[in-house]
Amino acid sequence: MKTLLALAGLGLSMSAHATITGSLISSDSLQSYSINDFSSASLIETAYTQLLNYETSNNLDLSTAKIVVTDDVFTLEATLGGLLTCYYQGRTATSIEDCASLTAYATGNFATGTTPQEQKSLNAVNDATTIGLQLNRSTTQISSSLQSLRHLRIDHSTAKGGGAGDDLYSMVGPFGFFVNAGGSWGHVDGNTGSAGFALYNRNFNAALDFKISERFATGILFGYTSSAAELDRAQGRFDANIFRFSPFATLTPTENTYIDLAAGYAKHDNAANRQCLTCGGGAKAQFETDEFNILAGTGYTHNIGAWSLRGYGQASTIYMNIGGYREQGLLGAGSGLLTVPEQYVVSVTSTFGVELTYAWSLPFGVLTPRVNGEWVREYANDPRVTRAFTRSGLAASIVSNAAERDWGNMGAGLQLNLSNGLAANLGYQALIMSGSYNHALEGGLRWEF
């Protein structure tokens, strides 16, 4: 146990820019021993010896005693029974190595030669690999495409209002081919641990669907996204080309209800480029990410004449395996180049929303404006501390930002159903999130045959 405490002290000895203070607390939570400077393992051993003497004289259970060290932003808890946990700005570490990395991050002592600004850039590039889990979520794109397909597949012969014959908008055939394209632009604010960056995406989706019966339709959706994150102050850039496919099925148990199911895979081809004084003019890397996702959603629509009010909910899970990589210098070798291991990320969200539409019958078709709003809740996607190494073997910490737990989406759009199985739509959506914003615009076309 003394070895554990000594190692914990050695990990905290990385504190070069701040002194972490705390106390050793006995198992009765009454006796404590102040530690004014936690940069020496000998001080921990001294406190440990004092606690042993206190336990012996008071006949206490030492297995429940623990060390608690804090400087208001960093906390270390070392249970004398053998458990170790560190906390910093929502991040958690449970091993000596990760605690040492997290402590170095908390106190500003990174790998030799890495400036605080470069560390922020490194963290931001790492954050950009998973920012799509919130600002350009793949399951949100799938859900949006399924909703567009469902809208464009609707038989508007039942729409109330004058000006159009019923037979003009009846279903033409069981097959449908759908394409849509669009883009989004946004920004993620920087903080004490990570640089901010602007984000740009271009999306293209195509789907082939087949109506098996009046209550069941299935198909497959293909998608491509070109994503670019430009770090503030020209400190770096992250680019990704994402290719995805997703089989899906839609069940309509009743005229006003539906159930969506989808499962998919996406391949991310990533390229990172960051500023680094000791990396031969900068550092670049190429690596891949495998993404697997599952989506389940349901909704109910209440019709009042030409008005329709839809309430809906969905759950989605995304698993990402971010490949490890070895940085290369832009102008040659450098001591600050990193070897970064694989990272694994799991995101689980729920979405609840409402949508209001009005079916307006015109001589040439049915025009349907809509507005919607939804609330998204994240249950996973926890902060990560990734332990990388320089060419010389020095450890470096890459710390991800804590994910936002709640955010909203607001949208508006127009849909036009024409004769002969043609339909088109145009939509806009805005993200409502603390410290970030994102705007998306897309249009689609469906042909039924």
Side-chain angles (χ1 to χ4, degrees), residues 71-127:
D71 68 345
D72 295 331
V73 294
F74 179 88
T75 300
L76 177 145
E77 294 183 1
T79 303
L80 298 185
L83 300 178
L84 177 67
T85 306
C86 302
Y87 308 91
Y88 175 66
Q89 288 189 350
R91 302 170 176 87
T92 303
T94 56
S95 69
I96 290 293
E97 293 80 7
D98 288 344
C99 277
S101 298
L102 191 57
T103 305
Y105 182 79
T107 58
N109 186 22
F110 311 112
T112 301
T114 302
T115 68
Q117 182 59 49
E118 289 175 354
Q119 182 69 33
K120 288 184 178 182
S121 300
L122 177 61
N123 293 340
V125 168
N126 192 63
D127 284 338

Side-chain angles (χ1 to χ4, degrees), residues 320-379:
M320 299 178 72
N321 179 3
I322 305 171
Y325 59 88
R326 183 181 175 90
E327 290 184 326
Q328 303 296 322
L330 296 179
L331 302 178
S335 60
L337 297 172
L338 294 176
T339 299
V340 181
E342 287 185 321
Q343 300 177 63
Y344 305 93
V345 181
V346 177
S347 174
V348 180
T349 62
S350 62
T351 303
F352 297 96
V354 292
E355 180 185 64
L356 180 65
T357 63
Y358 180 81
W360 185 12
S361 294
L362 299 171
F364 55 85
V366 176
L367 183 65
T368 307
R370 65 172 178 84
V371 293
N372 76 292
E374 57 187 31
W375 164 54
V376 185
R377 172 73 174 178
E378 172 68 74
Y379 300 94

Side-chain angles (χ1 to χ4, degrees), residues 404-427:
E404 290 290 334
R405 292 304 175 193
D406 298 275
W407 69 91
N409 296 311
M410 297 291 292
L414 285 173
Q415 173 186 326
L416 178 62
N417 284 71
L418 302 172
S419 59
N420 301 321
L422 292 176
N425 66 357
L426 180 67

